[in-house]
Amino acid sequence: MSNTDVHGTVEDGFEPVREAFAEVVAEQDGQVGAQLTAYAHGRRVVDLWAGDEVSGDTLTGVYSSTKGAATLVTALLVQDGVLDLDEPVARHWPEFAAAGKATITLRDVLTHRSGVIGVDGGLSAAELADDAVIARRLAGQRPYWRPGTAYGYGGFVTFALVNEVIRRVTGQSLQQVYEQRVRAPYGLDLYLGLPEAEERRFRPIQWWTATPEQEAAFWTNLPGPHSILGVGYGLNSTPPLDQVAFANTRDVRAHGQASAGGVGSARGLAGLYAAAVWGLDGRPPLLKPDTIGEFAQLHSLGADLVRGDQGNYAVGFQAKGLRYPFLSANAFGHDGSAGSESFADPMSGIAFGYTRRRFGFAWSYPEHDRLAAATYHAATTTS
């Protein structure tokens, strides 16, 4: 059996999705290992996998796709009236008011407008494993730009701030709320804190493959460790953060830090968004239409101070209707730096989840466009 063989199922009408996935796997010579799952109006219609040591229930690090699960928890608490997006963070966490942060709201944090994207001198890999430790370090940090004047992606720390607010308000961590209200009831294979018993299903992330010349050119042109990009991606610590080792560290997986420490499968990612909008297996949707409208609304547009032109954010979620123009304006979700992708499009009825086990060179994942387009066109022509 070749590791380029595609396994799994698609419903009638979704055969083009399987064909697109097979083409992607063949181009990668089966060396990456990938999963693709999609729902249409809450019904699973695509469930595919391929590659060495990968099955449908394999788990791996999903990096910032974790933020989708963390945002869903936040949205639930806003929906309940427990959190208010426009309240200052310091109202519940007084220490956060230090160094000019007294007026920063939860909405500012979730839309990456707070300026709090890291700390001077950096956070060690061990510190970045635990949201509570990150929050203590961030409390005294001056923002890297005047809050509200611009936006920039806080890849590894944003949801540590959100988590601390949730702790102060509810007495529980974001991870505890997620487990009790989302993951366990809906049976999702997406963990914010991977139990030891599930470790056997975990497969480590691998670094990209490139020629020495490509590597040299890439790192020569990378901004410095103390630049805005360097701070946002943890490059200003000593040593700089090793992104591959991050998800492959048991301590990170055990804590499930809410910005980038999640572990899951394509089934888990797609199921998260299906549960949020349409419900799963007879259970009702987690979010009401008004809540979806609030959290899917565009907020931070144009150039991102950290990521350049790759930005465009709703509230906590990325604005997927701008990323994929064939989707509706209120499509929302989140990707991850190792190549995971996940989103919901309430208009077309799609919930999409994709994982891969190897970083793409220069964090480039052109297959996302092909797979998302194939899924959209299949869903909209068979409905």
Side-chain angles (χ1 to χ4, degrees):
M1 182 180 296
S2 168
N3 63 2
T4 62
D5 291 342
V6 172
H7 306 275
T9 60
V10 296
E11 285 202 357
D12 291 346
F14 287 84
E15 294 86 358
V17 181
R18 186 186 186 104
E19 292 168 9
F21 184 71
E23 290 171 1
V24 166
V25 171
E27 290 168 4
Q28 298 166 344
D29 296 323
Q31 296 178 7
V32 170
Q35 303 166 322
L36 175 63
T37 300
Y39 286 79
H41 299 284
R43 186 181 80 257
R44 193 159 75 185
V45 292
V46 175
D47 187 36
L48 301 171
W49 62 90
D52 189 34
E53 296 187 344
V54 173
S55 67
D57 65 357
T58 294
L59 305 174
T60 195
V62 299
Y63 291 81
S64 286
S65 290
T66 308
K67 292 182 175 72
T71 300
L72 177 54
V73 170
T74 310
L76 280 171
L77 295 175
V78 169
Q79 182 172 270
D80 292 345
V82 173
L83 296 180
D84 183 338
L85 289 174
D86 297 309
E87 270 191 339
V89 169
R91 183 167 298 172
H92 301 291
W93 179 14
E95 301 94 320
F96 185 74
K101 303 194 299 300
T103 62
I104 291 173
T105 64
L106 189 59
R107 189 186 300 272
D108 291 330
V109 173
L110 288 162
T111 58
H112 302 287
R113 305 184 70 83
S114 71
V116 186
I117 59 171
V119 300
D120 297 339
L123 291 151
S124 70
E127 289 174 316
L128 283 173
D130 189 335
D131 284 332
V133 175
I134 298 169
R136 286 198 294 271
R137 291 290 310 279
L138 293 174
Q141 175 65 42
R142 182 170 295 279
Y144 283 86
W145 59 86
R146 187 174 178 84
T149 61
Y151 82 101
Y153 185 59
F156 286 93
V157 305
T158 296
F159 279 89
L161 301 178
V162 179
N163 199 347
E164 190 62 27
V165 173
I166 290 172
R167 290 177 198 271
R168 301 287 177 122
V169 173
T170 70
Q172 291 185 297
S173 69
L174 185 153
Q175 289 86 351
Q176 289 171 322
V177 178
Y178 173 74
E179 179 66 20
Q180 293 169 10
R181 297 190 58 180
V182 181
R183 198 211 64 77
Y186 288 82
L188 299 179
D189 243 358
L190 179 62
Y191 294 86
L192 303 190
L194 183 67
E196 186 72 43
E198 301 296 338
E199 274 289 318
R200 59 184 175 77
R201 295 198 286 144
F202 178 79
R203 298 293 181 272
I205 290 288
Q206 300 164 326
W207 191 236
W208 64 51
T209 55
T211 67
E213 292 77 17
Q214 287 175 316
E215 288 280 4
F218 176 80
W219 293 107
T220 297
N221 294 321
L222 194 69
H226 301 289
S227 66
I228 290 291
L229 181 146
V231 174
Y233 281 100
L235 303 180
N236 64 330
S237 59
T238 304
L241 181 68
D242 181 334
Q243 285 201 31
V244 177
F246 181 78
N248 292 340
T249 303
R250 171 60 193 162
D251 199 33
V252 171
R253 297 195 297 278
H255 280 98
Q257 68 107 297
S259 294
V263 170
S265 65
R267 291 172 180 170
L269 289 171
L272 177 82
Y273 288 94
V277 182
W278 298 279
L280 275 181
D281 301 325
R283 288 186 169 274
L286 285 159
L287 299 182
K288 298 176 182 177
D290 282 351
T291 308
I292 293 170
E294 173 81 24
F295 277 77
Q297 187 177 52
L298 299 173
H299 275 63
S300 297
L301 309 175
D304 181 321
L305 295 183
V306 175
R307 302 183 74 186
D309 293 333
Q310 298 181 56
N312 300 317
Y313 289 90
V315 180
F317 297 111
Q318 293 169 328
K320 292 300 180 180
L322 294 177
R323 172 66 179 83
Y324 304 110
F326 45 83
L327 297 181
S328 65
N330 66 339
F332 62 95
H334 218 291
D335 60 17
S337 62
S340 60
E341 174 63 297
S342 53
F343 61 81
D345 182 2
M347 291 294 290
S348 64
I350 298 169
F352 179 97
Y354 174 73
T355 68
R356 49 179 282 162
R357 283 190 56 210
R358 186 185 295 277
F359 275 80
F361 178 64
W363 294 281
S364 177
Y365 304 100
E367 77 266 28
H368 287 178
D369 299 84
R370 294 160 60 185
L371 296 173
T375 303
Y376 169 80
H377 291 301
T380 54
T381 56
T382 58
S383 59

